[in-house]
């Protein structure tokens, strides 16, 4: 069916791809040009060496014995040397299961927290070896805590709270471990100017305001580590504050001495905690020059009568030096500092593995809680580190932590949130890329930071084949004894070359075979890039197969040409015999220069806007005022017309602000006068852009001109030779117009007033007429009025 044919095609394609990949891998072994079995097995873990004497055909190179194992089998090689690496566990003591309330108390050296403890790893180049480590926090593990305190004057109130620290801290730490010891030390500053005042009075009492202070000192070991908390309180209570001049303190000197003076401090091989308490910054390497101290800190113990005696002689230690010593002596540091300096010590903490920072209250009243919290934070994290690796050896980690959490790369070294009794594991992979010089065994260690236990790993390297041990020195098979016959081939003696060591370098002089391997007027054989094998240069092989030496004398290569943008020949050419052959439209030693000028064209069609040169496809602006990829941006320019106005005015009309300096400053363009504005050039008349300008002079006269930059970068200005000045005003029409306007306005106002009065009167009359029509008249007589006519009516005729 169609689906079956499709699957068959996919399967064949996969086989072809796999064959291609295998052929590429096999070529790694051949390209190495290995001349012995030992050289072959260093190339890659896939390479094997055929030891059959009759394996090579006539004329075939000896290096053909080195190939991928599968291909050697296909070529019917019966004996293949292909040694493999391995890992052997030498000491594998189980991790300790310990109970704090148990009857048996183990010594610190009897407690095991990491497993295994000793291994032997045999490495072959390119073949990684994997080993498993297990870590488990033991309960009731002993702790040594050394309290290092700043006794400068600003810490006066803090000292009062530390005086009872011993018994209180001892009581709290009993909840964590039954084996706890505490010690105390103090520091101030180097006893030289300008850190302290060296006047006799100040050396006795460095404090002012009648304060009773002790003489300044650099570092003093007050109390060796002890399990007696009362003794701690007693000695600390007798301490006095001292003083210094500058703000930073000499705490790094004190930390260095606490780390390296193990016997004087009393450190055991247990958990080591150093509490560093201060309210100020710190001096570090280089600051000693202020006091004339230039010798670097030697990192050695210099305690005499428990006082650091070389503070005036050695500079402060550097941070890196301090990190090394703290790590070497398995000391975990807790910085108890005031809130003001917490950011500074937080940055320092990031540089010091297995360290913590806590905020100290103004009078150190919270110091016990701070120590407990910091200890819990430090002990809940396991970070593995290894000692210095031999050349060519690399190591990688993978962590398997609680709750199924896994970490790789940098996170593969550590596990967090580990409680007492928790068990975590790590998978470590060790690989060697080459056999170290000498091939002698090397020992490296892997340990968890802050713990005294470590895993010792002995590294052994497979630098040669087993068959080499059975080699026949001065074998007759090697051209009469000129080599060792081993692993089926001749390994030539010094000075002999060839498949059967048939050529001698000592016998070849400049007048015979070696002369054919030297360039004329040169003393280098094969240009130091190859070997002269019987009169012919055989060029060296490179690790990268794409990089090759070539030429009759191996004088050429394809990888040593100039680069641009970190690309060979800028990515725009090919390297031939150490010279770049550039692609079309590119030039330069590294083909970095583009000949395409389209990127330099401004919007007006000119190269670089006529204000620069196009170099390698990039505009180089000649006028610093102009910027941008095409010199079109000018943040400070007033505009073309405004920019050239004064020069055009002074040259065309002998006027303007630059009249006095016209000849000196305004000769940069060609001036051409025309009679009328219509005679000015138009954009359609020119093959290059121009600008039409209209400007006004001090007399309010207008002048017109054009500004253009021709194709040959010549600046041309066409200007109308006559100024366009406004004519003077005509007084009579103006006066007549004003008078007429006043009269007309007056008449208009009178007419408006008359019209309004007529409208008002008509409204009043209409109102009167309306009221008259609506009036009701009384017909009675006026009682006051007496008519002059008297009318008499005869009663007898009434009603008739």
């Amino acid at each position: 069916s169609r689906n079956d044919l499709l699957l068959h095609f996919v399967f064949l394609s996969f086989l072809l791809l796999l064959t291609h990949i295998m052929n590429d891998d096999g070529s790694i072994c051949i390209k190495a040009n290995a001349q012995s079995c030992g050289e072959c097995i260093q190339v890659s873990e896939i390479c094997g060496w055929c030891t059959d004497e009759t394996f090579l055909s006539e004329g075939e190179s000896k290096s053909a014995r080195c190939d991928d194992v599968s291909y050697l089998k296909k070529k019917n090689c019966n004996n293949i040397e292909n040694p493999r690496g391995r890992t052997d566990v030498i000491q594998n003591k189980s991790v300790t299961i310990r109970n704090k309330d148990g009857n048996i108390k183990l010594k610190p050296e009897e407690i095991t927290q990491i497993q295994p403890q000793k291994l032997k790893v045999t490495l072959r180049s390119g073949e990684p070896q994997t080993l498993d480590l297990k870590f488990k926090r033991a309960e009731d593990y002993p702790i040594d805590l050394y309290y290092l305190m700043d006794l400068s004057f600003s810490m006066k109130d803090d000292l009062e709270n530390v005086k009872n620290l011993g018994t209180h801290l001892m009581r709290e730490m009993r909840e964590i471990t039954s084996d706890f010891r505490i010690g105390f030390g103090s520091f101030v500053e180097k006893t030289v100017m300008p850190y302290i005042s060296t006047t006799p009075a100040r050396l006795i009492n460095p404090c002012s305001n009648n304060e009773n202070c002790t003489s300044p000192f650099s570092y003093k070991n007050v109390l060796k580590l002890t399990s007696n908390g009362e003794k701690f309180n007693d000695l600390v209570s007798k301490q006095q504050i001292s003083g210094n001049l500058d703000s930073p303190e000499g705490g790094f000197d004190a930390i260095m001495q606490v780390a390296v003076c193990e016997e004087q401090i009393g450190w055991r091989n247990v958990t080591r905690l150093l509490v560093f308490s201060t309210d100020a910054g710190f001096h570090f390497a280089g600051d000693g020059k202020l006091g004339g101290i230039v010798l670097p800190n030697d990192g050695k113990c210099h305690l005499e009568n428990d006082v650091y005696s070389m503070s005036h002689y050695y500079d402060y230690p550097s941070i890196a030096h301090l990190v090394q010593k703290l790590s070497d002596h398995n000391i975990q540091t807790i910085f108890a500092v005031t809130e003001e300096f917490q950011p500074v010590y937080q940055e320092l903490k990031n540089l010091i593995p297995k360290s913590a920072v806590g905020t100290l209250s103004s009078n150190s009243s919270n110091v016990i809680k701070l120590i407990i919290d910091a200890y819990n934070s430090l002990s809940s994290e396991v970070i593995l580190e290894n000692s210095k690796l031999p050349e060519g050896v690399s190591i990688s980690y993978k962590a398997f932590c609680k709750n199924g959490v896994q970490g790789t790369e940098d996170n593969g070294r550590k596990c967090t949130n580990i409680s007492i009794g928790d068990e975590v594991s790590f998978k470590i992979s060790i690989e060697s890329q080459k056999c170290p010089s000498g091939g002698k065994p090397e020992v490296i260690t892997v340990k968890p930071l802050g713990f005294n236990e470590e895993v010792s790993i002995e590294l052994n390297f497979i630098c040669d084949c087993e068959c080499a041990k059975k080699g026949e020195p001065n074998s007759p098979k090697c051209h009469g004894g000129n080599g060792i016959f081993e692993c089926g081939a001749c390994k030539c003696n010094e000075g002999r070359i060839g498949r059967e060591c048939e050529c001698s370098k000592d016998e070849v002089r400049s007048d015979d075979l070696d002369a054919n391997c030297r360039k004329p007027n040169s003393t280098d054989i094969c240009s130091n890039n190859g070997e002269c094998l019987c009169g012919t240069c055989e060029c060296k092989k490179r690790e990268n197969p794409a990089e090759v030496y070539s030429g009759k004398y191996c004088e050429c290569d394809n990888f040593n040409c100039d680069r641009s943008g970190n690309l060979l020949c800028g990515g725009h050419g090919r390297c031939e015999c150490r010279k770049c052959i550039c692609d079309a439209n590119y030039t330069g030693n590294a083909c970095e220069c583009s000949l395409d000028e389209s990127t330099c064209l401004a919007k007006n069609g000119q190269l670089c806007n006529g204000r620069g040169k196009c170099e390698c496809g990039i505009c180089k602006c000649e006028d610093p005022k102009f910027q941008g990829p095409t010199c079109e941006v000018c943040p400070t320019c007033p505009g073309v017309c405004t920019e050239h106005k004064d020069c055009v005015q002074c040259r065309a009309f002998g006027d303007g602000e630059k009249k006095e300096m016209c000849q000196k400053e305004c000769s940069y363009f060609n001036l051409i006068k025309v009679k009328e504005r219509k005679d000015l050039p138009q954009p359609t008349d020119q093959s290059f852009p121009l600008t039409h300008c209209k400007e006004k002079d001090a007399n309010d006269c207008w002048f017109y001109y054009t500004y253009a930059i021709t194709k040959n970068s010549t600046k041309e200005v066409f200007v109308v030779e006559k100024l366009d000045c406004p004519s003077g005003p005509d007084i009579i029409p103006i006066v007549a117009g004003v008078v007429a306007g006043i009269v007309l306005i007056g008449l208009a106002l009178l007419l408006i007033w008359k019209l309004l009065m007529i409208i008002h009167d008509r409204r009043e009359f209409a109102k009167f007429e309306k009221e008259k029509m609506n009036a009701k008249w009384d017909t009675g007589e006026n009682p006051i009025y007496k008519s002059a006519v008297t009318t008499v009516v005869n009663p007898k005729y009434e009603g008739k």
Side-chain angles (χ1 to χ4, degrees):
S1 65
R2 181 178 298 177
N3 290 337
D4 291 338
L5 289 174
L6 181 61
L7 288 173
H8 184 65
F9 174 75
V10 171
F11 180 70
L12 288 176
S13 300
F14 174 75
L15 287 179
L16 289 173
L17 177 62
L18 183 62
T19 303
H20 175 71
I21 293 174
M22 292 180 67
N23 283 335
D24 284 347
D25 287 342
S27 67
I28 296 174
C29 309
I30 295 176
K31 290 176 182 177
N33 196 27
Q35 299 298 307
S36 66
C37 185
E39 292 180 16
C40 179
I41 63 174
Q42 301 303 317
V43 176
S44 172
E45 62 170 326
I46 66 172
C47 298
W49 179 269
C50 183
T51 62
D52 293 349
E53 292 188 33
T54 59
F55 175 71
L56 297 179
S57 58
E58 186 68 27
E60 193 172 7
S61 172
K62 182 168 52 176
S63 62
R65 291 182 177 274
C66 182
D67 204 343
D68 183 88
V69 174
S70 61
Y71 278 90
L72 291 175
K73 291 179 179 179
K74 289 180 182 179
K75 293 179 180 180
N76 299 319
C77 179
N78 297 318
N79 299 300
I80 300 174
E81 192 76 16
N82 183 29
R84 314 309 298 177
R86 65 184 183 276
T87 299
D88 300 316
V89 178
I90 307 302
Q91 184 177 351
N92 192 25
K93 186 179 178 181
S94 300
V95 292
T96 302
I97 300 175
R98 186 186 188 199
N99 193 328
K100 184 175 69 171
D101 299 327
N103 296 325
I104 301 176
K105 295 296 181 181
L106 300 177
K107 296 179 180 179
E109 58 271 15
E110 297 174 335
I111 301 174
T112 303
Q113 297 183 109
I114 192 166
Q115 178 187 2
Q117 296 79 39
K118 192 172 184 180
L119 301 101
K120 181 179 180 181
V121 178
T122 304
L123 294 173
R124 177 183 170 179
S125 297
E127 181 189 16
Q129 293 297 315
T130 303
L131 51 100
D132 296 317
L133 293 185
K134 182 166 60 175
F135 180 87
K136 183 176 182 180
R137 278 189 61 192
E139 185 178 356
D140 196 29
Y141 195 76
I143 299 174
D144 283 354
L145 185 146
Y146 192 85
Y147 196 91
L148 182 59
M149 184 175 181
D150 176 8
L151 284 189
S152 59
F153 187 76
S154 57
M155 294 286 285
K156 180 179 180 182
D157 53 346
D158 301 77
L159 181 60
E160 294 299 321
N161 285 295
V162 175
K163 288 181 179 179
N164 295 319
L165 177 66
T167 53
H168 293 171
L169 185 58
M170 190 76 68
R171 184 167 54 252
E172 294 291 335
M173 294 299 288
R174 293 292 184 192
E175 299 295 325
I176 299 174
T177 177
S178 60
D179 189 357
F180 175 72
R181 299 197 310 167
I182 189 171
F184 184 82
S186 59
F187 67 91
V188 181
E189 188 54 276
K190 288 184 179 296
T191 54
V192 296
M193 281 288 289
Y195 312 110
I196 66 166
S197 175
T198 55
T199 59
R202 291 296 184 191
L203 285 175
I204 298 174
N205 184 358
C207 302
S208 56
N209 300 325
N210 297 321
E211 293 285 347
N212 186 20
C213 297
T214 189
S215 300
F217 55 91
S218 177
Y219 162 67
K220 184 187 299 182
N221 178 28
V222 178
L223 176 64
K224 189 176 180 179
L225 288 164
T226 177
S227 57
N228 189 342
E230 295 293 341
K231 185 177 181 181
F232 179 94
N233 293 348
D234 182 55
L235 285 176
V236 173
S237 64
K238 297 178 182 179
Q239 301 304 305
Q240 287 183 299
I241 292 295
S242 185
N244 61 315
L245 295 179
D246 61 341
S247 177
E249 314 293 1
F252 277 16
D253 273 343
I255 295 177
M256 178 61 76
Q257 293 303 301
V258 172
V260 300
C261 298
E262 289 195 349
E263 183 178 351
Q264 290 87 337
I265 301 300
W267 291 117
R268 298 177 295 171
N269 286 329
V270 297
T271 298
R272 298 176 176 183
L273 299 178
L274 170 61
V275 180
F276 183 84
S277 175
T278 185
D279 64 348
F282 48 81
H283 284 295
F284 52 88
D287 289 354
K289 293 180 181 179
L290 294 173
I293 303 173
V294 296
L295 284 178
N297 195 286
D298 64 349
K300 296 180 180 179
C301 182
H302 297 287
L303 290 185
E304 294 183 7
N305 298 323
D306 286 329
V307 176
Y308 180 36
S309 60
M310 301 298 284
S311 66
H312 64 287
Y313 190 75
Y314 289 117
D315 193 7
Y316 303 97
S318 65
I319 295 177
H321 197 185
L322 215 55
V323 170
Q324 177 195 348
K325 291 300 181 181
L326 290 172
S327 176
D328 290 346
H329 296 274
N330 302 314
I331 297 175
Q332 304 177 62
T333 311
I334 301 172
F335 295 104
V337 298
T338 55
E339 185 174 4
E340 177 186 359
F341 286 92
Q342 190 181 29
V344 176
Y345 283 90
Q346 192 66 43
E347 292 296 326
L348 182 61
K349 176 245 180 190
N350 295 334
L351 300 174
I352 301 179
K354 292 293 284 185
S355 62
V357 176
T359 303
L360 195 66
S361 62
S362 59
N363 58 1
S364 298
S365 58
N366 67 331
V367 67
I368 293 180
K369 183 179 184 303
L370 185 153
I371 293 173
I372 299 296
D373 292 343
Y375 168 74
N376 290 331
S377 174
L378 290 172
S379 59
S380 66
E381 182 178 52
V382 174
I383 303 175
L384 296 184
E385 73 162 2
N386 53 268
S387 59
K388 185 179 179 181
L389 299 173
E391 184 181 2
V393 176
S394 61
I395 189 170
S396 61
Y397 297 83
K398 186 174 182 180
F400 300 88
C401 308
K402 287 176 60 179
N403 304 320
V405 177
Q406 297 184 12
T408 56
E409 297 181 351
D410 289 342
N411 292 327
R413 292 175 172 265
K414 63 182 179 180
C415 284
T416 56
N417 299 322
I418 301 174
S419 304
I420 293 175
D422 288 340
E423 184 175 291
V424 295
S425 60
F426 298 88
K427 191 175 289 293
I428 302 177
S429 179
I430 305 176
E431 183 177 354
S432 174
Q433 297 300 327
K434 64 178 181 178
C435 187
S437 56
K440 296 180 180 180
E442 299 274 356
V443 177
I444 64 171
T445 58
V446 176
K447 68 175 183 179
L449 282 174
F451 295 87
N452 64 305
E453 298 171 69
E454 64 183 21
V455 179
S456 176
I457 304 174
E458 180 183 322
L459 301 181
N460 293 273
F461 303 92
I462 302 176
C463 297
D464 211 340
C465 302
E466 284 293 323
C467 59
K469 298 178 181 178
K470 303 176 183 178
E472 181 184 350
N474 303 320
S475 172
K477 298 179 182 180
C478 300
H479 200 267
N482 289 319
I484 303 173
F485 189 79
E486 64 178 34
C487 303
C490 287
K491 184 176 181 181
C492 298
N493 294 336
E494 185 69 24
R496 305 295 297 188
I497 53 177
R499 178 171 166 177
E500 295 179 355
C501 310
E502 65 272 19
C503 293
S504 171
K505 292 182 180 179
D506 295 333
E507 294 174 358
V508 176
R509 304 299 177 189
S510 59
D511 55 347
D512 38 43
L513 295 181
D514 266 3
N516 295 326
C517 296
R518 292 193 183 99
K519 291 172 64 176
N521 301 322
S522 175
T523 59
D524 295 332
I525 296 177
C526 298
S527 305
N528 290 328
N529 295 323
E531 291 182 296
C532 185
L533 299 179
C534 302
T536 302
C537 282
E538 183 175 327
C539 300
K540 294 178 182 177
K541 301 293 190 300
R542 301 274 298 177
E543 291 183 5
N544 184 355
E547 298 177 354
V548 295
Y549 292 106
S550 60
K552 181 180 178 181
Y553 306 104
C554 302
E555 74 278 11
C556 295
D557 63 59
N558 65 347
F559 55 87
N560 269 327
C561 290
D562 291 335
R563 294 176 178 265
S564 177
N566 205 28
L567 294 175
L568 194 67
C569 297
H572 303 298
R574 63 186 185 278
C575 181
E576 292 185 1
C577 203
R578 301 188 178 183
K579 289 187 178 180
C580 286
I581 307 300
C582 300
D583 298 339
N585 292 328
Y586 285 93
T587 186
N589 293 334
C591 302
E592 76 282 5
C593 186
S594 173
L595 299 177
D596 184 11
E597 295 185 342
S598 60
T599 56
C600 295
L601 289 177
K603 294 179 181 178
N604 57 15
Q606 287 186 306
L607 286 176
C608 302
N609 196 30
R611 301 184 183 278
K613 295 180 180 179
C614 186
E615 298 179 2
C616 300
I618 300 174
C619 282
K620 303 294 184 182
C621 304
E622 295 176 343
D623 192 334
K625 292 189 299 183
F626 290 89
Q627 304 171 4
T630 54
C631 302
E632 292 181 279
V633 180
C634 183
T636 60
C637 291
V640 174
C641 295
T642 306
E643 181 183 1
H644 304 288
K645 168 190 171 183
D646 293 334
C647 281
V648 173
Q649 186 179 359
C650 79
R651 288 190 59 183
F653 308 105
D655 199 2
E657 295 183 1
K658 293 189 177 181
K659 179 172 62 175
E660 301 298 331
M661 302 174 288
C662 191
Q663 187 174 3
K664 180 180 179 181
E665 297 186 7
C666 299
S667 58
Y668 59 88
F669 58 84
N670 295 331
L671 182 68
I672 304 168
K673 293 185 178 182
V674 297
K675 290 185 177 182
E676 303 291 339
R677 287 181 63 185
K678 63 181 181 179
D679 298 329
L680 289 173
Q682 301 300 317
T684 55
D685 301 336
Q686 307 293 331
S687 59
F688 47 85
L690 56 83
T691 304
H692 278 265
C693 300
K694 176 184 177 182
E695 296 292 336
K696 184 186 289 186
D697 63 10
N699 299 321
D700 291 335
C701 294
W702 295 95
F703 58 95
Y704 303 89
Y705 66 94
T706 63
Y707 180 84
I709 301 177
T710 64
K711 287 188 175 181
N712 58 4
S713 299
T714 302
K715 300 176 178 63
E716 289 185 351
V717 174
F718 286 80
V719 62
V720 179
E721 62 184 7
K722 291 183 180 180
L723 294 170
D724 185 5
C725 297
S727 58
D730 194 348
I731 302 300
I732 294 176
I734 294 174
V735 173
V738 172
V739 173
I742 293 173
V743 171
L744 290 174
I745 292 172
L747 290 175
L749 291 175
L750 287 174
L751 288 173
I752 293 171
W753 177 79
K754 184 62 177 175
L755 180 61
L756 292 174
M757 291 302 295
I758 292 172
I759 294 172
H760 180 267
D761 288 346
R762 287 184 177 181
R763 287 180 176 176
E764 290 296 323
F765 181 75
K767 183 179 178 182
F768 170 74
E769 288 293 330
K770 183 178 180 182
E771 290 178 352
K772 179 180 178 182
M773 293 295 294
N774 295 331
K776 294 180 179 182
W777 301 99
D778 191 3
T779 57
E781 292 183 357
N782 190 348
I784 301 175
Y785 175 77
K786 289 187 177 184
S787 176
V789 179
T790 303
T791 302
V792 178
V793 179
N794 191 348
K796 291 187 179 230
Y797 297 98
E798 185 178 3
K800 296 181 179 181

